[in-house]
Amino acid sequence: MKKNLFEMGADFGDDWTSDNRDRSGKKISMETKEPSKHQLHFAKEKRRGKSVTIVKPFYLTESDLQTLAKTLKKKLGTGGTAKENSLEFQGDIADSLRTHLEALGYRFKK
């Protein structure tokens, strides 16, 4: 049987949440690194029947990440976006994406 989330006499302070879960997730470091210090990896997902190639984690400022996404989209001739510390591209283009990023000086996990 489920436990009652609302108990009589409970203290509903500022740090209270309705599902009583601890929200302390991983802290993302936002320090910027030069391209040779990055250790990128690929992830592939299917969204609405189409494949998406995701490259992460980038340690760049938001504006630098947007600029990198724009240049790669032009070189690859595909759509994409920059979200948080990753780049998402339409299609299964991991091989050509790897060559373009390595030409810019980025490194990948083995």
Side-chain angles (χ1 to χ4, degrees):
M1 189 175 249
K2 288 189 175 182
K3 196 175 186 182
N4 189 1
L5 294 177
F6 300 101
E7 297 178 16
M8 295 300 292
D11 179 25
F12 297 116
D14 292 334
D15 58 342
W16 183 83
T17 60
S18 63
D19 57 0
N20 294 333
R21 292 187 186 172
D22 185 22
R23 297 284 184 203
S24 60
K26 290 193 290 184
K27 300 290 182 189
I28 300 173
S29 65
M30 292 308 298
E31 64 183 54
T32 58
K33 294 182 180 179
E34 61 185 54
S36 62
K37 301 288 184 188
H38 283 74
Q39 290 291 316
L40 303 174
H41 68 277
F42 288 106
K44 295 178 187 176
E45 290 184 6
K46 289 275 190 172
R47 295 184 184 167
R48 297 186 185 130
K50 301 190 182 204
S51 59
V52 176
T53 304
I54 302 169
V55 184
K56 58 184 175 181
F58 284 96
Y59 298 101
L60 301 172
T61 61
E62 193 67 31
S63 61
D64 290 341
L65 191 62
Q66 292 287 343
T67 305
L68 178 63
K70 187 174 183 178
T71 57
L72 288 172
K73 287 191 301 184
K74 283 184 180 181
K75 286 182 180 181
L76 296 169
T78 185
T81 186
K83 289 187 179 177
E84 297 173 5
N85 62 346
S86 65
L87 295 177
E88 298 180 2
F89 294 96
Q90 297 173 354
D92 187 9
I93 56 169
D95 297 331
S96 58
L97 188 58
R98 178 185 281 265
T99 58
H100 286 293
L101 283 170
E102 285 177 344
L104 292 172
Y106 290 94
R107 294 178 39 197
F108 290 87
K109 288 186 178 179
K110 301 269 183 210

